[in-house]
Amino acid sequence: MTLSAGYTFDSSVLREYDVRGIVGETLHAADANALGKAFGTKVRRSGGKKVAVGRDGRISSPEMAAALIEGILSTGCDVVRIARGPTPMLYFTVYDQKTDAGIMVTGSHNPSNYNGFKMLNAGKSVFGEAIQELGQIAENGDFEVGAGSVTDIDIEDRYVTRLVAELDCDVAKPMTIVWDCGNGASGDVVRKLTAQLPGTHHLLFDEVDGTFPNHHPDPTVEANLVDLKAAVAKHNADWGVAFDGDGDRIGVIDGKGNVLWGDQLLQIYAADVLARQPGAAIIADVKASQTLFDEVSRLGGKAIMWKTGHSLIKTKMIEEKAPIAGEMSGHIFFAERYYGYDDATYAAVRLYRILVQSGKSLAVWRAAMPVAVNTPETRIDCPDDRKFDLIEEVRGRLDEAGAEVSGIDGVRVSTDDGWWLLRASNTQPAIVARCEAADDAGLLHLKTQVTDQLVKSGLSSDDFFALGGGH
């Protein structure tokens, strides 16, 4: 150990389950270097030495990755560097190459001027207090010192081979599928994958371009699925799939152009898993529909509601020994038949397998799902330094009113009409809202309650629930 000049990160970049900021404003190459030193130090002190490093296709990612690696090497850790690709390919590298840790340079689904880092150490996600500890190590200049080495490996083909292997069944009726990569980091992998899968495949925006020239790479926003819907209709496809910027979140539409949100996809995956593992725990985040939790219980599973956040969900999966888990945002985690992390491309292949084995189209699966009237996941702009305090203000008013509140993550309020949710986003300067009721009248009541709470805390109601719809 040696003490050197300390480094202080901008307070906004050390988030709950990753490090993320605006390049040139709150995040710089110097931050990447300091994070590499702090992360390498943590790896060394936890008994490890080998760190896998990957990067997405953002314009700033090569510079960030180079600075990060320089910092890691300075602690005496060795780096296994992979080529540009999706975050799940980095996770796969950690398991396939048996590295002690891994760190991905990615801005995920954020706009092109963002970047950040997702981390694994000793088989677990680095989040919460562990991220704050990295900040403290950097601030104290409390770094290990050494001289590590870099090994470059080509992991893409091994990763694609593993994805293809998931379709381990007789595909009597190959499907027509549209794949929208959104110019994100999954493009190269999807091109190789679809060349080896049975069926007819049409690719959209598979050229990796960190400026995202065609549409924003966030499949939870229905406006970003317009091109996918049009292509599915044009090619009379069975279904279509979209990915976020770093390929760990999935969006899906059926052959009729209807969106299947994360909680609806989880119903399909849960039905498949529970047929093999009766009584297994199925985890979903607080934004998920009550119909999902009810359906898991009906199928004999143990339905568990948990906090939003990929690191938080993965940790809860390990604790509960759950075979699968999911979020409304399209993170789907598979421990059964896979490694326990969120991988949108794997989720797509696994869905293909389920559809083949069930003999039912995706549209038939969707039509059979319990019906609820709800809003989409709606994001309302709110500054980072205000959003958490706002939620606490809402919580205080609800407590005074004697409301029925779940405080797992933000506030999820149950009423005679249904439920509504407000929580602070951990990745964007925003408040996340969602409502669900049995009918339109009930939904209007819930939306009014949410709007009232937000206005009381000083937000303008002009754009609340502007997206409308739901499922």
Side-chain angles (χ1 to χ4, degrees):
M1 178 193 76
T2 186
L3 293 174
S4 59
Y7 187 91
T8 302
F9 296 98
D10 186 283
S11 60
S12 67
V13 305
L14 300 178
R15 297 173 179 257
E16 175 64 21
Y17 39 83
D18 58 19
V19 176
R20 200 176 303 184
I22 302 173
V23 176
E25 295 182 22
T26 60
L27 188 69
H28 305 81
D31 295 283
N33 184 263
L35 183 67
K37 290 180 179 179
F39 186 70
T41 296
K42 186 64 177 176
V43 171
R44 288 282 306 277
R45 292 175 184 171
S46 59
K49 190 179 181 186
K50 186 188 296 186
V51 181
V53 176
R55 65 175 177 87
D56 68 11
R58 290 169 185 264
I59 302 301
S60 61
S61 289
E63 179 187 20
M64 290 288 178
L68 174 76
I69 289 171
E70 180 183 340
I72 294 171
L73 295 176
S74 73
T75 67
C77 284
D78 297 325
V79 169
V80 175
R81 180 170 53 197
I82 63 173
R84 178 189 70 189
T87 293
M89 190 168 80
L90 182 276
Y91 295 158
F92 174 80
T93 304
V94 170
Y95 288 94
D96 185 73
Q97 299 296 308
K98 297 180 174 56
T99 67
D100 302 304
I103 185 164
M104 180 72 183
V105 180
T106 178
S108 188
H109 61 283
N110 283 100
S112 58
N113 59 331
Y114 278 74
N115 216 325
F117 309 87
K118 295 180 180 179
M119 297 166 281
L120 292 172
N121 185 28
K124 296 180 180 180
S125 296
V126 177
F127 69 98
E129 291 183 6
I131 287 179
Q132 299 306 316
E133 183 183 348
L134 293 176
Q136 196 62 55
I137 291 172
E139 187 172 344
N140 294 338
D142 182 20
F143 303 124
E144 296 290 324
V145 173
S149 62
V150 178
T151 302
D152 289 295
I153 65 169
D154 183 356
I155 201 72
E156 189 174 80
D157 287 342
R158 288 181 61 82
Y159 174 55
V160 171
T161 297
R162 176 61 186 88
L163 296 175
V164 173
E166 187 59 29
L167 198 62
D168 59 348
C169 58
D170 180 33
V171 183
K173 295 182 179 180
M175 297 182 184
T176 297
I177 305 171
V178 180
W179 305 71
D180 184 350
C181 302
N183 299 112
S186 296
D188 297 334
V189 165
V190 170
R191 206 175 303 118
K192 287 186 175 182
L193 170 67
T194 53
Q196 299 179 49
L197 290 178
T200 302
H201 303 279
H202 300 278
L203 273 58
L204 298 178
F205 316 132
D206 55 309
E207 291 298 324
V208 179
D209 185 337
T211 67
F212 309 121
N214 292 288
H215 64 72
H216 187 62
D218 184 351
T220 64
V221 177
E222 194 162 358
N224 296 328
L225 302 177
V226 170
D227 295 309
L228 180 61
K229 290 182 178 182
V232 167
K234 174 183 177 181
H235 298 292
N236 193 28
D238 294 282
W239 50 289
V241 58
F243 306 108
D244 75 331
D246 69 327
D248 58 6
R249 297 164 65 226
I250 187 173
V252 173
I253 67 168
D254 66 19
K256 296 182 178 180
N258 298 308
V259 179
L260 281 90
W261 303 104
D263 51 2
Q264 292 175 307
L265 290 172
L266 192 56
Q267 284 191 42
I268 297 174
Y269 296 125
D272 175 58
V273 169
L274 289 171
R276 292 186 295 275
Q277 296 190 25
I282 308 295
I283 300 170
D285 74 325
V286 295
K287 293 181 290 186
S289 170
Q290 186 60 42
T291 62
L292 165 65
F293 298 107
D294 293 345
E295 183 66 7
V296 168
S297 297
R298 188 189 71 80
L299 292 169
K302 177 185 176 184
I304 298 175
M305 183 186 298
W306 196 239
K307 300 175 183 179
T308 294
H310 62 91
S311 299
L312 306 174
I313 292 285
K314 279 188 278 192
T315 301
K316 188 66 172 177
M317 282 185 73
I318 294 171
E319 177 186 324
E320 298 288 343
K321 297 181 174 59
I324 58 168
E327 296 183 87
M328 271 295 298
S329 60
H331 287 284
I332 310 291
F333 310 81
F334 299 90
E336 189 229 33
R337 297 176 61 93
Y338 206 51
Y339 302 99
Y341 55 76
D342 41 340
D343 185 336
T345 313
Y346 173 82
V349 179
R350 183 138 168 172
L351 181 59
Y352 195 171
R353 179 176 177 271
I354 292 171
L355 297 177
V356 167
Q357 292 187 321
S358 70
K360 296 187 295 185
S361 72
L362 190 56
V364 168
W365 273 96
R366 185 183 182 278
M369 291 179 180
V371 176
V373 182
N374 48 38
T375 67
E377 177 184 341
T378 303
R379 291 178 181 264
I380 301 149
D381 290 342
C382 185
D384 280 328
D385 59 3
R386 170 73 178 128
K387 60 189 181 183
F388 291 104
D389 289 340
L390 186 149
I391 295 299
E392 290 309 309
E393 292 171 8
V394 173
R395 191 191 309 276
R397 290 192 293 266
L398 293 169
D399 288 343
E400 287 183 8
E404 183 182 340
V405 180
S406 168
I408 290 174
D409 186 3
V411 290
R412 179 163 165 151
V413 183
S414 297
T415 77
D416 291 340
D417 291 308
W419 62 270
W420 58 265
L421 171 76
L422 285 175
R423 60 176 294 276
S425 169
N426 280 310
T427 60
Q428 294 175 301
I431 297 293
V432 177
R434 193 161 192 247
C435 310
E436 179 175 87
D439 53 39
D440 289 334
L443 188 65
L444 181 59
H445 293 160
L446 298 176
K447 287 166 128 182
T448 300
Q449 292 175 39
V450 173
T451 297
D452 179 59
Q453 289 293 338
L454 292 173
V455 169
K456 284 180 177 177
S457 286
L459 294 185
S460 166
S461 64
D462 292 346
D463 296 321
F464 294 173
F465 304 109
L467 295 175
H471 63 273

